[in-house]
Amino acid sequence: MNKGIKLNTLPQELVNQIAAGEVIERPASVVKELMDNSIDAQATKIEIKIVNGGIDLIEVSDNGNGIPQENLPSIFKTHTTSKISSFEDLNNLLTMGFRGEALSTILSVANVNLISKYVDSDIANEIVFKDFDNHTVKKAARESGTVVSVRNIFENIPARRKFLKSAQTEYKKILDTLYPYFLIYPNISFVVWKDSKKVIDLRNIPNAKADIVEKERIESLMKEDFVKRMVKLFYDGGGIKVKGLVGHPSDHQKRISNQYIFVNRRPVWDNGIARAILSGYERYIPFGEKVPFIVLIDINPDLIDVNVHPRKEEIRFLNPFRAYSAVEEAVKKAITGVTSFKMDTPMINIQRDGKIYTPRDISFKSNQSGSVRDSLLFSKEVFSDTGYVKSIASEKSEIEFKDEEQGIRNIFQIFNKYIVIEFDSDILWIVDQHAAAERITFEKLKKSNGDSIEKQNLLVPYTVQFSESELIVLREMKEFFSEFGIEYTVTDTGIEISSTPVEFVNTDFKKFFDEIFALSEDISNLSKEINKLKEDILATMACHGSVRSGQYLHREEMMDIYKKLIVCENPYSCPHGRPAVWKLKLSDIDMNFERTY
Ligand code: ADP
Ligand code: MG
């Protein structure tokens, strides 16, 4: 028995402070809650003031609908929200993050002051808290919307205050919190003040909609060159919509940066989704490389659980693989649509030289430099921030554009390994002959329907020995390989190859099949996994059935590789993701010699 132990009801402020640990961890969490509220209030302009990393002051001011005077005290009470009106709403609203506890929690850990003018009222009001339970409401001057000032966070909770990092770090975390809003609300203008200096000023983009990323906004925010070349995503199926922008394959990078994922407008991080995005780039970018992306997923709220994380930075998909495959497919579709060298197609997203140009870029640039082709041949520096065309292009007509050999001044081989191509347009390509040939064969195999493959029958069958378990697989895969031009019969000890695609004249088939077997962890699964492994098998075939490094090439052979490469869907890398072409501009070479003329 608990003799004489007095039970205490915890004061509400203390209850809130305890709960605050989850919701309000640091100044950035306050910023997030205030931003959400301003956006919910339909604001089109939001100003954020940060002093001393938000430790001294966080102020968010909006031009939204405002708060009726009679509601002012109650919005600071726990679980008070104007956003949940009926029980049916509850599930949806919770997933959107409305719990009616942000303001009351913030109030329990900081000094809060709020001024608001409700749209339907003529006057503004201010609520000032002396302490958690004592407030006054009085008339104030404000034209529209709401401003919330949060001062001296955690001042009353030293244990939490102690855990704050330096002002600079807290400020950085605030920016990390703000960026996602900037990205997906191009319809809202944002201004950020840091210690009374204006550091970010983003105008709203006319006619832009929330939740649709606009390149213009991203450019003014990130100031990065790759943004221009980002590719639009679109996917809609199985209750999942995927949209946003992903980096052009030529803009792969080592760093994990500029990567954003949103689910139902909430910024989240999900490793599975990030992996799925990269899977969409498989064979388009070198292995292990990253790309910038802003991916927005819209999914029925019933199919996710956001409450796994108190600040909702993570989510759980009821069926993660559905989400992953939707994302992967969206990315694949988007990038195969742009990585095409096709030259005589309409000028929609034509790209060459690893860069993508929109019709607007082209016409704008061609006016200045004279030629579409030249514009296309220059790499990213051409479209510098200033819009200034740095390189001087010579006069060329669009007709020449169709003839691949035109414009090539020189083509030769070095080290029996690389093809060097010098273009009239002051561009130099160094092509890895094997990687390029592999890419060409790979795409040819991928497109082939069996009869399109040029086969040669061997006069004397080529015999290769294999183990029993390998022979089982070879028997199962006979039809598959036959479709790609490799015909064989299986004997007790090996196979007898009777026909191969022409490219396979010098192939070491023992090595070739060993590599195929190595594709599966368990060789006995190989034929079951054939669909999954198909691209890998074709890549292996391409590797064996292509011009090798160390092989001498005649001019015609080099031209042939060049011509076939530029019509590939993805000419930038071999099917394993190694680069196939290295492009240099004369100006790059000049720069290396510090030559300025
Ligand atoms: P929730 O956002 O979950 O409703 P909050 O504690 O964040 O809970 O806010 C409580 C209520 O205060 C909101 O439901 C809204 O009615 C009102 N409110 C807060 N901030 C603003 C704002 N900037 N503009 C208009 N109304 C606001
Ligand atoms: Mg809120």
Side-chain angles (χ1 to χ4, degrees), residues 48-68:
I48 303 116
K49 283 189 190 145
I50 304 299
V51 176
N52 191 31
I55 301 166
D56 292 0
L57 173 73
I58 297 162
E59 190 171 285
V60 174
S61 165
D62 67 50
N63 66 349
N65 297 333
I67 304 159

Side-chain angles (χ1 to χ4, degrees), residues 16-29:
N16 287 7
Q17 284 173 358
I18 294 166
E22 288 193 3
V23 182
I24 304 297
E25 191 191 28
R26 54 181 359 118
S29 345

Side-chain angles (χ1 to χ4, degrees), residues 27 30-31 48-60 111 113 147-153 174 193 195-196:
V30 173
V31 172
I48 303 116
K49 283 189 190 145
I50 304 299
V51 176
N52 191 31
I55 301 166
D56 292 0
L57 173 73
I58 297 162
E59 190 171 285
V60 174
N111 296 331
N113 197 22
V147 54
V148 185
S149 316
V150 177
R151 290 189 173 80
N152 303 327
I153 186 172
I174 289 174
W193 299 81
D195 301 320
S196 56

Side-chain angles (χ1 to χ4, degrees), residues 81-100 300-302 306-307 312:
T81 172
S82 59
K83 297 164 196 170
I84 300 176
S85 47
S86 74
F87 190 70
E88 283 107 83
D89 280 353
L90 191 63
N91 194 35
N92 273 349
L93 289 171
L94 283 180
T95 47
M96 295 303 287
F98 305 138
R99 300 196 283 195
N300 181 337
D302 291 343
V306 291
N307 291 313
K312 305 191 166 54

Side-chain angles (χ1 to χ4, degrees), residues 33-43 60-68 71-72 74-84 93 96-106 114-118 145-148:
E33 294 298 341
L34 300 183
M35 291 293 285
D36 279 341
N37 284 348
S38 294
I39 288 166
D40 293 340
Q42 316 288 320
V60 174
S61 165
D62 67 50
N63 66 349
N65 297 333
I67 304 159
N71 288 357
L72 280 181
S74 53
I75 56 167
F76 286 95
K77 296 211 176 91
T78 323
H79 306 306
T80 305
T81 172
S82 59
K83 297 164 196 170
I84 300 176
L93 289 171
M96 295 303 287
F98 305 138
R99 300 196 283 195
E101 60 186 9
L103 288 180
S104 65
T105 313
I106 294 168
L114 181 151
I115 303 173
S116 190
K117 182 184 167 294
Y118 186 53
T146 305
V147 54
V148 185

